[in-house]
Amino acid sequence: MEFYQCVFQTMRMVIVISVVMVQWFGIIASLKWIWKNWFIIVVTWNVIASLGWIWKSRFSCMVETPEPISEDNQELVDVDASASLPSSSAESSAPRWKHDVFLSFRGVDTRKGIVFELYDRLQNRRKIKTFMDDQDLQVGDVISPTLLLAIKESRFAIIVLSPNYASSTWCLEELRNICECMKEDNNRILPLFYNVDPSDVRNQKMSFGDAFTKHEKSGKHISGKVQQWRDALEKVANFSGWHIQNYKTERELVDAIEESVCNKLRPTEHEFIMSFGGFEAFEATKQAIVKVVNALKKDEATTIGVYGMGGVGKTTMVKYVGAQAQKCRLFNQVIMAVVSQNPDLMKIQETFAELLGLKLEEKTDIGRASKLKEKILKGTGILIILDDIWKSIDFSSIGIPSHNELQRCNSKVLLTTRKLSVCHSMDCHANIHLNILSEEDSWSLFVKEARKYPLDKSSTFYDVARKVAGECAGLPVALIAVARGLRDKCLDGWKEAARRLQASQPPNPEDEGDVFKCIKLSYDYLKSDDSKSCFSLCCLFPEDYDIPIEYLLMYRIGKGMFQDSNMLEARDTTYSVVKDLKDSSLLLDGRDDGCVRMHDVIRDMAILMMSLSEEGQRFLVKIGCELKNWPKIDAHKGYSAISLMKNKICKLPEELVCPNLQILLLQHNASLNEIPKSFFQSQNELRVLDLSYTRISLLPQSISFLTNLQALYLDYCRNIIDISVIGKLHKLEILSMRECALEELSREIGQLTNLRMLDVSAVRIRTIPSKVISKLHKLEELYMECGFLDWGSKVDGEGEETNIGFDELAGLLYLSILTVCISNANGIPKSVEVEPNWVYFDISICSGHNGERVIKKLRSGCNCRSLSLYRTDTTIGTFPDWFVNAVVKNTERLRYRKCRGLSNILVEYDRGRFHGLKVLSVIGRCTNLKELMNAITCVPYMPVLENLEELYLGDLYHLRQLCVGELPPGSLCRLKLLKDLSQIKQI
């Protein structure tokens, strides 16, 4: 018994003793005794109350509560118009049931009979977690915290309504709490009418009527309590349940209850498969799902393996099984991570931690594994999915508990692999083979994806289509890719495809050769060389990697494409090409917006194709292979692209001998701290060089030999101290230096007169020399999210201007995208020679030293028109006319943070001409904002905020009203969302 419950029981005992004293000695004698011993009674009562308070404090401390938002934390709150508010963590997305069934019963009637039998069947035989209170004597009508918590943590409640059930106020109070906790889903309450008539229970007759008469006459219960019990009993009596008269024997009744509860908790395989719309469950898939579900139900099996050929649909199937397992309450929570050919332990751990709502701050793999394991063991009913395992991996190195530990917390591991031998090496308790599709299922899928209707036997396409489908060997990934690639082909094109598939000789027929020839055909049938080039770039990134489409754009520009197009046109073209590749099933949607992924099988085939290419597009890809030394490269193979990212390379060769090389990707080699002086000296065609996330401090002078280099990436090179040599790279068009260690922007950047995109976003930059960026006459995109605050400042207040002035940006004629942070509105010139024509912009005015803390939170992306005012007295009325015309009136997202000067949104609207404003957020202590909109002091004659779709408010402690007065008809007519952000820490 919990200590808190003991306190309550003691208090009840005092009450009972008092009642007994009155009955035995009379009221007068009892009062005399109490008067003589009042001091002892008071002391005892205070001790009991204190102990209860201590226990309650201890109990409440065990419950996690959200940390209140401090003023500093609130500074980081941001709203992105396109982003929805963060949902609750995965841990809270599904109920965390501790008990499957809660038994409510009257002990004297049923404990040694049907209740005991039910508990034994469910708990011991079926392993269904069943809560049964073991207290035979309950005094009073106060439910203990332990019992109340058990009700809240139970998925279902079986109410055993026996003749004396209502005579117990404890049972009635228990029933009332059950009805309250389960009011959202009444199907969770299951009544059992045991030796009582349901109508007697419903209408409170017979023993139930007698019991309520006694409760009402006793005068012991507060007003309304008895009526609450009556209502709860009437409600439950109207639910469908079990009645003992409908069964021949009590055993038959228990059998029926047992079977019904099992079906509710664990749906049949048929229900499991059929309950998901849109999932293509072919016969082979259905058979595998049934086997997986059966294995998941077995208590002794904690590790289940699914194996099959690459591209057969293992990942899709286990994702579906996981989703349905959680939906059908087979598991409370499902977490999934991709292992891949070269496992990234930290990435796997961070994926699981995020899904579990856990923050891993430990620096070592062992420390993170320990924290993750502790979190999993604290939960119950977790399905852990490890996708795409290539070789045996130690569960403990990730943080997954052992077999016995998983059993204790009712959790399991489901893994996928291409090889049965991996299942054996991982000690799987069940191994399920996902087979290829049957001939008819293959044909069905092919017809669906080809959309060449009709494809029946009368169609001229039928015979040749059958041949093409047959060559795909029953693999969904191949069937879909080929079918989509042939959608717009004529009959001759289909015949040619069939001929090429039949004649194709894959390089390694024993290792998914059929997939190779199918992907190769889909690649060959792409509509343009543009699509082929974009597709081939994707295989240079790691497996299961979210590839930013912006990277594909910049790499393509770096290769020399889009010479006759501006950056906006190039971006549109790239996004269109990516869409075509996704429509062809050669690329997948990324997990994040603006990203794409490659199916691991298609990536493998793409790398193989590029490694064998004889068309000057041969690739060498060795990513995440733990390489410490530069690999041996045969210069005669004429590689055009080399990707060695995510390795541990610490030393480069003295010279890079690869004359045809155009792309070199070395990012995420954290051990690389030096580039040999002569590394770039040999003749080559290098156009794209990525050294991001390395520890280099200097660029070698030999980089000046890269006369064709058009894209250079130095993002997150936190040790770099000098980049002046890049001034010699006169063909450079893309230069990205996000979060570099530089405190001063090199003047030599002004020599890069062909530069089209410059990203110098870094909080460390304090000096940006004047007349440097203004020399970049061809600049189209500029990103300057930096801690730089002093626009147009002078040395000691005297002499020549040393820092860039904002007018330099306005003077860049081709600039179409601008992201910048300004310390205050005074940095904006009163006039400019020519008003800029910025198509997209993200401009933040952040006063004070805290500006650099929020710049990362304010960026909305390259395709936005956003203006943010942070901790400033600035209002729209203080901006010069040219800025209002170029920025304010085109703004779609307007954000205020702790703006002391803000007093009325309608005034801002009137001055800024915000007719296109779609998103408005006002957050923080805007001290002068008493009414958000005051239509009396600022009388609008036309509709206002007529295009506003989203309005976010938060921590406006001085705000009293949203609107005073009446707005004209048509105002706020498109508003879809009004959100209070006061309790949200991070967006």
Side-chain angles (χ1 to χ4, degrees), residues 354-592:
E354 182 180 353
L355 294 172
L356 290 168
L358 176 67
K359 187 174 182 181
L360 293 177
E361 297 178 344
E362 291 74 13
K363 295 182 179 180
T364 64
D365 291 341
I366 296 175
R368 288 191 298 273
S370 177
K371 188 77 172 288
L372 192 58
K373 178 180 177 180
E374 181 183 354
K375 181 69 174 179
I376 293 172
L377 289 174
K378 283 183 178 178
T380 179
I382 300 175
L383 178 60
I384 304 164
I385 301 178
L386 292 170
D387 187 37
D388 194 25
I389 297 180
W390 285 71
K391 57 187 177 182
S392 180
I393 186 170
D394 184 8
F395 281 172
S396 64
S397 66
I398 298 173
I400 298 174
S402 66
H403 167 70
N404 291 334
E405 290 169 330
L406 286 169
Q407 279 190 318
R408 283 199 293 271
C409 63
N410 197 26
S411 298
K412 296 180 186 292
V413 176
L414 178 62
L415 61 87
T416 72
T417 178
R418 297 188 188 184
K419 299 178 181 179
L420 176 60
S421 59
V422 173
C423 293
H424 291 319
S425 65
M426 298 288 290
D427 294 326
C428 292
H429 302 106
N431 301 316
I432 292 96
H433 182 220
L434 181 56
N435 214 334
I436 59 174
L437 301 187
S438 67
E439 184 178 347
E440 285 309 307
D441 281 345
S442 296
W443 174 244
S444 175
L445 178 59
F446 186 84
V447 169
K448 174 186 173 184
E449 296 296 335
R451 296 182 187 170
K452 204 75 177 180
Y453 300 110
L455 275 179
D456 53 28
K457 292 184 178 180
S458 62
S459 170
T460 55
F461 282 82
Y462 180 78
D463 291 334
V464 66
R466 274 286 189 178
K467 290 180 181 178
V468 172
E471 289 295 325
C472 295
L475 289 167
V477 68
L479 284 159
I480 294 171
V482 171
R484 291 186 178 182
L486 291 173
R487 277 178 181 174
D488 59 348
K489 302 297 180 184
C490 62
L491 181 59
D492 289 339
W494 282 60
K495 289 180 178 179
E496 174 63 14
R499 186 194 65 77
R500 292 173 67 171
L501 284 171
Q502 289 175 325
S504 177
Q505 294 296 323
N508 195 356
E510 294 183 359
D511 187 12
E512 297 164 345
D514 291 316
V515 183
F516 176 88
K517 64 184 184 182
C518 292
I519 303 304
K520 180 71 165 63
L521 178 75
S522 301
Y523 172 81
D524 292 339
Y525 271 33
L526 286 172
K527 296 178 181 179
S528 65
D529 291 338
D530 206 14
S531 296
K532 291 181 180 179
S533 173
C534 189
F535 173 77
S536 62
L537 282 175
C538 291
C539 74
L540 296 174
F541 292 88
E543 186 177 339
D544 195 52
Y545 189 77
D546 263 9
I547 306 166
I549 301 175
E550 287 293 307
Y551 274 35
L552 298 177
L553 166 66
M554 298 304 169
Y555 283 6
R556 279 153 58 81
I557 292 174
K559 286 183 65 177
M561 303 176 68
F562 308 119
Q563 292 297 315
D564 298 325
S565 304
N566 61 42
M567 295 279 283
L568 290 174
E569 293 169 342
R571 182 173 280 104
D572 289 341
T573 300
T574 299
Y575 274 80
S576 177
V577 167
V578 166
K579 183 180 182 300
D580 289 340
L581 290 170
K582 288 196 291 185
D583 290 343
S584 300
S585 198
L586 292 175
L587 289 181
L588 305 171
D589 285 323
R591 286 173 287 263
D592 296 328

Side-chain angles (χ1 to χ4, degrees), residues 13 99 109 135 146 172 478 668-669 671 773 830 854 877 911:
M13 193 175 296
H99 314 288
D109 287 347
Q135 302 303 312
T146 303
L172 292 173
H668 291 282
N669 277 280
S671 301
I773 291 181
K830 298 299 180 183
V854 297
R911 293 172 179 172

Side-chain angles (χ1 to χ4, degrees), residues 89 159 490 821:
S89 68
I159 316 297
C490 62
C821 182

Side-chain angles (χ1 to χ4, degrees), residues 612-650:
L612 300 172
S613 173
E614 300 294 340
E615 302 173 359
Q617 293 293 322
R618 183 169 288 188
F619 289 4
L620 174 64
V621 180
K622 291 183 177 294
I623 298 174
C625 301
E626 302 289 316
L627 287 178
K628 294 183 179 179
N629 298 310
W630 185 261
K632 293 182 179 180
I633 297 176
D634 186 350
H636 299 292
K637 287 190 176 182
Y639 291 116
S640 63
I642 295 176
S643 179
L644 302 174
M645 62 174 83
K646 290 202 169 187
N647 281 297
K648 297 181 179 180
I649 296 173
C650 55

